[in-house]
Short mmCIF file of all heavy atoms in Angstrom, two decimals:
data_model
loop_
_atom_site.label_atom_id
_atom_site.label_comp_id
_atom_site.label_asym_id
_atom_site.label_seq_id
_atom_site.Cartn_x
_atom_site.Cartn_y
_atom_site.Cartn_z
N MET O 1 -21.88 -25.81 -2.44
CA MET O 1 -21.39 -24.46 -2.52
C MET O 1 -21.06 -24.15 -3.98
O MET O 1 -20.45 -24.96 -4.66
CB MET O 1 -20.14 -24.30 -1.64
CG MET O 1 -19.70 -22.89 -1.52
SD MET O 1 -18.38 -22.61 -0.33
CE MET O 1 -19.15 -23.13 1.19
N GLN O 2 -21.46 -22.94 -4.41
CA GLN O 2 -21.17 -22.51 -5.77
C GLN O 2 -20.48 -21.15 -5.74
O GLN O 2 -20.81 -20.30 -4.91
CB GLN O 2 -22.46 -22.38 -6.58
CG GLN O 2 -23.09 -23.70 -6.93
CD GLN O 2 -24.31 -23.50 -7.82
OE1 GLN O 2 -24.99 -22.49 -7.74
NE2 GLN O 2 -24.57 -24.48 -8.67
N LYS O 3 -19.55 -20.98 -6.66
CA LYS O 3 -18.89 -19.68 -6.78
C LYS O 3 -19.91 -18.64 -7.21
O LYS O 3 -20.85 -18.94 -7.93
CB LYS O 3 -17.77 -19.74 -7.82
CG LYS O 3 -16.63 -20.64 -7.43
CD LYS O 3 -15.44 -20.54 -8.35
CE LYS O 3 -15.75 -20.49 -9.81
NZ LYS O 3 -14.57 -20.46 -10.67
N LEU O 4 -19.72 -17.42 -6.76
CA LEU O 4 -20.59 -16.32 -7.16
C LEU O 4 -20.27 -15.90 -8.59
O LEU O 4 -19.11 -15.89 -9.01
CB LEU O 4 -20.41 -15.13 -6.22
CG LEU O 4 -20.82 -15.34 -4.77
CD1 LEU O 4 -20.47 -14.11 -3.94
CD2 LEU O 4 -22.30 -15.64 -4.67
N LYS O 5 -21.30 -15.50 -9.30
CA LYS O 5 -21.12 -14.94 -10.64
C LYS O 5 -20.73 -13.47 -10.50
O LYS O 5 -20.97 -12.84 -9.47
CB LYS O 5 -22.41 -15.08 -11.43
CG LYS O 5 -22.79 -16.54 -11.72
CD LYS O 5 -24.11 -16.60 -12.47
CE LYS O 5 -24.46 -17.99 -12.87
NZ LYS O 5 -24.80 -18.90 -11.77
N LEU O 6 -20.16 -12.92 -11.56
CA LEU O 6 -19.72 -11.52 -11.51
C LEU O 6 -20.83 -10.57 -11.08
O LEU O 6 -20.59 -9.65 -10.30
CB LEU O 6 -19.16 -11.09 -12.87
CG LEU O 6 -17.79 -11.65 -13.22
CD1 LEU O 6 -17.37 -11.19 -14.62
CD2 LEU O 6 -16.75 -11.22 -12.20
N ASP O 7 -22.04 -10.78 -11.57
CA ASP O 7 -23.13 -9.87 -11.22
C ASP O 7 -23.65 -10.08 -9.79
O ASP O 7 -24.47 -9.32 -9.30
CB ASP O 7 -24.27 -9.96 -12.24
CG ASP O 7 -24.90 -11.35 -12.33
OD1 ASP O 7 -24.31 -12.32 -11.82
OD2 ASP O 7 -25.99 -11.46 -12.93
N GLU O 8 -23.15 -11.08 -9.10
CA GLU O 8 -23.55 -11.34 -7.71
C GLU O 8 -22.52 -10.78 -6.71
O GLU O 8 -22.72 -10.89 -5.50
CB GLU O 8 -23.68 -12.85 -7.47
CG GLU O 8 -24.79 -13.49 -8.28
CD GLU O 8 -24.82 -15.01 -8.13
OE1 GLU O 8 -23.74 -15.65 -8.22
OE2 GLU O 8 -25.93 -15.54 -7.94
N LEU O 9 -21.45 -10.19 -7.19
CA LEU O 9 -20.38 -9.73 -6.32
C LEU O 9 -20.63 -8.35 -5.69
O LEU O 9 -19.86 -7.91 -4.85
CB LEU O 9 -19.05 -9.71 -7.08
CG LEU O 9 -18.52 -11.08 -7.51
CD1 LEU O 9 -17.25 -10.92 -8.33
CD2 LEU O 9 -18.28 -11.97 -6.30
N ASN O 10 -21.67 -7.68 -6.12
CA ASN O 10 -22.02 -6.36 -5.58
C ASN O 10 -20.87 -5.36 -5.68
O ASN O 10 -20.60 -4.60 -4.75
CB ASN O 10 -22.50 -6.47 -4.12
CG ASN O 10 -23.75 -7.29 -3.99
OD1 ASN O 10 -24.65 -7.19 -4.82
ND2 ASN O 10 -23.79 -8.13 -2.97
N ARG O 11 -20.20 -5.36 -6.80
CA ARG O 11 -19.10 -4.42 -7.02
C ARG O 11 -19.65 -3.01 -7.15
O ARG O 11 -20.71 -2.79 -7.71
CB ARG O 11 -18.35 -4.77 -8.30
CG ARG O 11 -17.60 -6.06 -8.21
CD ARG O 11 -16.83 -6.28 -9.49
NE ARG O 11 -16.24 -7.61 -9.49
CZ ARG O 11 -15.44 -8.04 -10.42
NH1 ARG O 11 -15.14 -7.28 -11.45
NH2 ARG O 11 -14.94 -9.25 -10.35
N VAL O 12 -18.87 -2.07 -6.65
CA VAL O 12 -19.25 -0.67 -6.81
C VAL O 12 -18.63 -0.15 -8.10
O VAL O 12 -17.64 -0.68 -8.59
CB VAL O 12 -18.79 0.19 -5.61
CG1 VAL O 12 -19.46 -0.28 -4.33
CG2 VAL O 12 -17.29 0.19 -5.45
N SER O 13 -19.22 0.88 -8.65
CA SER O 13 -18.65 1.52 -9.83
C SER O 13 -17.45 2.36 -9.41
O SER O 13 -17.24 2.63 -8.22
CB SER O 13 -19.70 2.43 -10.49
OG SER O 13 -19.98 3.53 -9.65
N VAL O 14 -16.66 2.81 -10.37
CA VAL O 14 -15.52 3.68 -10.07
C VAL O 14 -16.01 4.95 -9.38
O VAL O 14 -15.41 5.41 -8.40
CB VAL O 14 -14.71 3.99 -11.35
CG1 VAL O 14 -13.67 5.07 -11.08
CG2 VAL O 14 -14.05 2.72 -11.88
N ALA O 15 -17.11 5.51 -9.86
CA ALA O 15 -17.66 6.72 -9.26
C ALA O 15 -18.08 6.46 -7.81
O ALA O 15 -17.82 7.28 -6.92
CB ALA O 15 -18.85 7.24 -10.07
N GLU O 16 -18.74 5.34 -7.56
CA GLU O 16 -19.14 4.99 -6.19
C GLU O 16 -17.92 4.75 -5.31
O GLU O 16 -17.90 5.15 -4.14
CB GLU O 16 -20.03 3.74 -6.20
CG GLU O 16 -21.39 3.97 -6.81
CD GLU O 16 -22.15 2.67 -7.09
OE1 GLU O 16 -21.51 1.66 -7.48
OE2 GLU O 16 -23.39 2.68 -6.92
N PHE O 17 -16.90 4.10 -5.86
CA PHE O 17 -15.66 3.85 -5.12
C PHE O 17 -15.04 5.17 -4.67
O PHE O 17 -14.62 5.30 -3.52
CB PHE O 17 -14.66 3.08 -5.98
CG PHE O 17 -13.34 2.82 -5.30
CD1 PHE O 17 -13.15 1.67 -4.55
CD2 PHE O 17 -12.29 3.72 -5.41
CE1 PHE O 17 -11.94 1.42 -3.91
CE2 PHE O 17 -11.08 3.49 -4.77
CZ PHE O 17 -10.90 2.35 -4.02
N LYS O 18 -15.00 6.14 -5.56
CA LYS O 18 -14.37 7.42 -5.24
C LYS O 18 -15.13 8.16 -4.13
O LYS O 18 -14.53 8.95 -3.39
CB LYS O 18 -14.24 8.28 -6.49
CG LYS O 18 -13.17 7.73 -7.44
CD LYS O 18 -12.94 8.64 -8.61
CE LYS O 18 -11.88 8.10 -9.53
NZ LYS O 18 -10.53 8.20 -9.01
N GLU O 19 -16.42 7.89 -3.97
CA GLU O 19 -17.24 8.55 -2.96
C GLU O 19 -17.31 7.79 -1.63
O GLU O 19 -17.67 8.37 -0.61
CB GLU O 19 -18.66 8.76 -3.50
CG GLU O 19 -18.73 9.70 -4.68
CD GLU O 19 -18.21 11.09 -4.35
OE1 GLU O 19 -18.51 11.61 -3.26
OE2 GLU O 19 -17.48 11.66 -5.20
#
Side-chain angles (χ1 to χ4, degrees):
M1 188 172 299
Q2 289 184 329
K3 295 189 317 183
L4 295 175
K5 294 178 175 69
L6 286 178
D7 61 346
E8 295 174 314
L9 294 176
N10 297 320
R11 292 183 187 185
V12 298
S13 68
V14 171
E16 291 168 323
F17 178 90
K18 289 186 179 287
E19 296 300 318

